[in-house]
């Protein structure tokens, strides 16, 4: 079940913003544990090297490249390097993204453009340059990583550009899925909820002015019907299912990994 033997996976944002397991690092390692050859991309050398170190420690097959996925040139070069290294491409995970808080009045035009580049254009670029190689296989799969911020608007915390770009990503995934289905390429979206990944300690605690991480996590957990935030491994397992042959009839859809958060707000 869920074995990826013989497949090559390209994962973006394969490091983590701080020590521990972000969504991209957990996904890279899990796909490799399931016997995929993983080509890992990150713009941060230290973060990328840590993921590769873990992979090598477990004798997993993984190579990496420093790459800023907001650059078409760099993505194109990364896809080429992946093909030169592993000779094929079956799986693409577009995992890079992040939020800048603020509503339309607070966000400058430059902030807006940066958010669109970071969360949406990066996904378009990954799909654009990987597609010719994905189409060469009889069955291949893309997973794009959105956010519950696309579906759930909070009066207390607005991030208009993040919400808009992550909602746009869902439409982009569906469009890609429908256009390329007959070519054997499936495309789906994973929608993480409030996760406990290193971003909580690294970015959210200072950004939200929280007393400490434990207090912030407790507050976030209180909104989640399952009672606790998920982590990077929960995202990785959802991604693994969607790229596996067991999900062969699943395309153009979204998998919410949010402990029931979205349903509870309805
Ligand atoms: N962590 C959460 O709670 C959460 C919740 C909802 C959605 N998400 C989404 O999940 C995805 C991953 O989030 P995370 O918190 O695990 O990631 P993260 O912030 O830990 O970042 C993962 C890696 O991406 C790399 N990166 C950043 N910009 C890059 C770029 N331009 N090019 C290449 N690499 C780049 C970073 O160096 C880092 O190593 C994002 O798309 C995010 O929006 C996360």
């Amino acid at each position: 079940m869920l074995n990826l033997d013989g497949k090559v996976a390209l994962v973006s944002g394969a490091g983590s913003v701080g020590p521990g397991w972000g969504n991209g690092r957990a996904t890279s390692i899990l796909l490799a544990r399931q016997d995929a050859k993983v080509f890992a991309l990150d713009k941060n050398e230290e973060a990328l090297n840590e993921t590769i170190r873990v992979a090598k420690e477990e004798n997993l097959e993984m190579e990496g490249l420093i790459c800023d996925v907001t650059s078409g040139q760099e993505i194109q070069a990364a896809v080429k390097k992946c093909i030169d290294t592993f000779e094929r491409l079956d799986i693409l995970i577009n995992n890079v993204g992040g939020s800048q808080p603020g509503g339309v009045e607070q966000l400058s035009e430059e902030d807006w453009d940066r958010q669109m580049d970071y969360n949406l254009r990066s996904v378009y670029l990954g799909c654009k340059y990987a597609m010719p190689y994905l189409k060469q296989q009889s069955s291949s799969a893309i997973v794009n990583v959105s956010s519950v911020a696309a579906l759930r608007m909070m009066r207390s915390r607005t991030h208009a550009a993040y919400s808009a770009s992550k909602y746009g990503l869902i439409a982009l995934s569906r469009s890609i899925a429908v256009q390329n289905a007959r070519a054997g390429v499936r495309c789906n979206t994973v929608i993480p909820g409030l996760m406990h990944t290193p971003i909580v300690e690294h970015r959210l605690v200072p950004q939200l002015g929280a007393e400490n991480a434990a207090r912030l996590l407790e507050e976030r957990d209180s909104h989640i019907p399952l009672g606790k935030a998920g982590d990077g491994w929960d995202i990785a397992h959802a991604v693994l299912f969607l790229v596996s042959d067991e999900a062969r009839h699943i395309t153009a859809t979204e998998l919410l990994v949010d402990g029931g958060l979205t349903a509870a707000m309805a």
Side-chain angles (χ1 to χ4, degrees):
M1 284 281 286
L2 308 179
N3 188 266
L4 304 177
D5 191 19
K7 295 193 188 259
V8 173
L10 184 69
V11 182
S12 76
S16 179
V17 76
W21 295 94
N23 300 329
R25 175 170 293 151
T27 299
S28 304
I29 294 292
L30 185 64
L31 299 189
R33 282 180 186 164
Q34 295 305 111
D35 295 332
K37 293 175 184 167
V38 173
F39 198 76
L41 306 182
D42 205 289
K43 74 169 188 189
N44 180 318
E45 187 171 10
E46 205 180 315
L48 177 64
N49 285 345
E50 173 58 14
T51 305
I52 293 174
R53 186 194 64 75
V54 175
K56 300 291 174 203
E57 210 170 72
E58 295 188 26
N59 286 322
L60 303 175
E61 206 152 351
M62 188 181 295
E63 298 296 331
L65 188 71
I66 307 296
C67 172
D68 179 348
V69 298
T70 61
S71 155
Q73 258 184 343
E74 290 194 28
I75 292 241
Q76 223 177 335
V79 171
K80 183 174 180 308
K81 182 85 177 150
C82 171
I83 299 296
D84 289 347
T85 307
F86 291 132
E87 296 175 346
R88 59 187 286 156
L89 184 58
D90 304 85
I91 294 166
L92 172 68
I93 314 299
N94 287 305
N95 165 70
V96 166
S99 72
Q100 158 128 24
V104 291
E105 290 168 287
Q106 292 79 41
L107 291 164
S108 67
E109 292 181 35
E110 292 74 24
D111 292 335
W112 175 268
D113 288 345
R114 262 196 302 274
Q115 278 283 282
M116 293 300 143
D117 283 354
Y118 194 32
N119 294 311
L120 192 52
R121 189 166 184 275
S122 62
V123 176
Y124 146 74
L125 289 172
C127 294
K128 178 178 176 62
Y129 291 116
M131 192 59 80
Y133 300 99
L134 294 170
K135 279 177 162 175
Q136 287 174 15
Q137 307 308 324
S138 55
S139 85
S140 52
I142 301 171
V143 170
N144 298 321
V145 180
S146 179
S147 166
V148 74
L151 310 176
R152 176 178 178 259
M153 306 304 147
M154 296 165 68
R155 255 180 307 181
S156 58
R157 180 164 161 74
T158 302
H159 28 214
Y162 184 58
S163 293
S165 55
K166 289 294 195 180
Y167 200 94
L169 178 155
I170 294 170
L172 176 63
S173 296
R174 289 186 184 195
S175 171
I176 288 168
V178 170
Q179 187 189 11
N180 296 285
R182 295 291 170 95
V185 184
R186 295 183 297 106
C187 182
N188 292 295
T189 302
V190 164
I191 308 181
L194 300 175
M195 313 306 290
H196 185 189
T197 60
I199 203 174
V200 172
E201 282 80 2
H202 191 84
R203 202 175 296 150
L204 294 186
V205 170
Q207 203 177 72
L208 298 176
E211 209 174 297
N212 56 47
R215 195 50 76 76
L216 178 62
L217 284 165
E218 202 179 304
E219 197 275 324
R220 280 161 66 102
D221 288 351
S222 71
H223 299 286
I224 302 171
L226 282 180
K228 204 163 168 37
D231 61 23
W233 294 106
D234 295 305
I235 301 306
H237 281 102
V239 171
L240 169 62
F241 170 63
L242 287 173
V243 301
S244 72
D245 287 340
E246 281 76 8
R248 67 185 182 185
H249 202 54
I250 301 176
T251 196
T253 194
E254 297 81 45
L255 183 47
L256 262 168
V257 186
D258 73 345
L261 179 73
T262 309
M265 81 189 190

